[in-house]
Amino acid sequence: MRLPLVSLSALCLALNAAPALAQSHDHGHAHEDHGHAHDDHGHGHHDHGDAHEDHHPSGLRLELEADAEARPGAPLTLGLNLSGPDGEALVADDLALMHGHKLHVMVVDEGLEDFQVFHPEAGPDGGFEIRFTPQLPRIYRVWVKAEPVEPFDMSAAATQHDDHEQCHDDHAHDDHGNHDDHGAGHSDHHDSVAMATDWVRVGDEAAPYILPQDELTARVGDLNFTLTAQDHAHAGETLGMTLSVTDAEGANVSDLQSFSDAVAHVTGFSSGAASLVHAHGDQADGAVSFDITFEETGLHRLFIRVKRADAIITAPFTLVVDH
């Protein structure tokens, strides 16, 4: 049985059809495509209030529906209710296959420590849900990425965005804290790709501070990962990066396996998981290379997932993006 969602206000509901999501969260230590990312970093806690919808320039909208109260260590099922800029519901038949899946779901806590990826199969009604186990009593961000079969009519999105802004002017961002940072994520620059985000609350623990300096090496199990940038990272500019992987003896690892149409999947979040960037890498000459574009300045956490011996491994990095 689904828990009912509570709307921000009657006016915002009428203008934006923005139901609140159940106070729940999903979280785990780099799962599905698991991995741990427990460094001593984070950011100040955001005051989200009990209702919030994030609009994304792509026009895709996401509303989450939980089957229980979210608690650290307890499995939680989230229904993913998707709609277009006109408010019409989207189901599996409305989405094209993208990297072998119709829906890509990325979940991370606002401290950018706990990262999970899901590729849910559609249910009999064409809808999607994920089941995960949050580990930290924090706010979690759930991001979805999809490619609509039919391009969105963005004139509807523009109209609803104007209404949304008016709603926020009238209500002075009720209980939202740092609202302006949210929903500003970007995909890997494919016009047909749409993204949306919503949040769930597992608890009110503030995320730890993330030191704003590059951390471009990581060790996961017996593997060492080194990330090299061709230049300094600047907002709005495409940056070429190379990932090298060595084993415990220092030998180059060249037997990475392709999965979901790529050798490496790169997901980057700005502070508080307020925005998202995504890229894919290919392996050549013993290293994995990819291009990525950051739209925002400041600290970003990069999670890079690779596959070896049929197991997904996630390596975390920190990168500071300049103007």
Side-chain angles (χ1 to χ4, degrees), residues 19 29 41 44 84 94 98 103 121 153 166 178 200 213 257 264 284 309:
H29 294 275
H41 28 136
D94 300 313
M98 180 176 59
L103 192 66
E121 297 294 330
D153 179 2
Q166 181 62 44
N178 298 325
V200 289
Q213 66 181 30
Q257 300 166 277

Side-chain angles (χ1 to χ4, degrees), residues 83-164:
S83 60
D86 57 1
E88 291 294 321
L90 298 175
V91 296
D93 288 345
D94 300 313
L95 306 177
L97 282 175
M98 180 176 59
H99 288 278
H101 306 281
K102 289 207 168 187
L103 192 66
H104 301 254
V105 184
M106 292 143 286
V107 183
V108 69
D109 76 288
E110 289 194 339
L112 307 182
E113 293 186 303
D114 213 1
F115 176 60
Q116 300 186 30
V117 176
F118 300 89
H119 298 114
E121 297 294 330
D125 61 353
F128 298 91
E129 67 179 26
I130 61 173
R131 185 168 178 82
F132 68 98
T133 302
Q135 302 300 318
L136 300 174
R138 296 179 186 164
I139 301 296
Y140 277 76
R141 276 276 160 188
V142 178
W143 285 86
V144 297
K145 180 180 177 183
E147 183 175 2
V149 174
E150 296 292 335
F152 288 147
D153 179 2
M154 294 307 294
S155 61
T159 299
Q160 293 199 13
H161 175 74
D162 291 342
D163 291 339
H164 178 71

Side-chain angles (χ1 to χ4, degrees), residues 276-309:
L276 180 151
V277 292
H278 199 74
H280 300 97
D282 295 316
Q283 190 171 28
D285 299 325
V288 176
S289 60
F290 61 91
D291 292 332
I292 191 167
T293 304
F294 300 95
E295 300 295 342
E296 296 186 7
T297 60
L299 181 142
H300 287 70
R301 171 59 47 78
L302 300 183
F303 295 97
I304 302 184
R305 294 178 296 127
V306 298
K307 185 176 183 179
R308 189 186 190 218

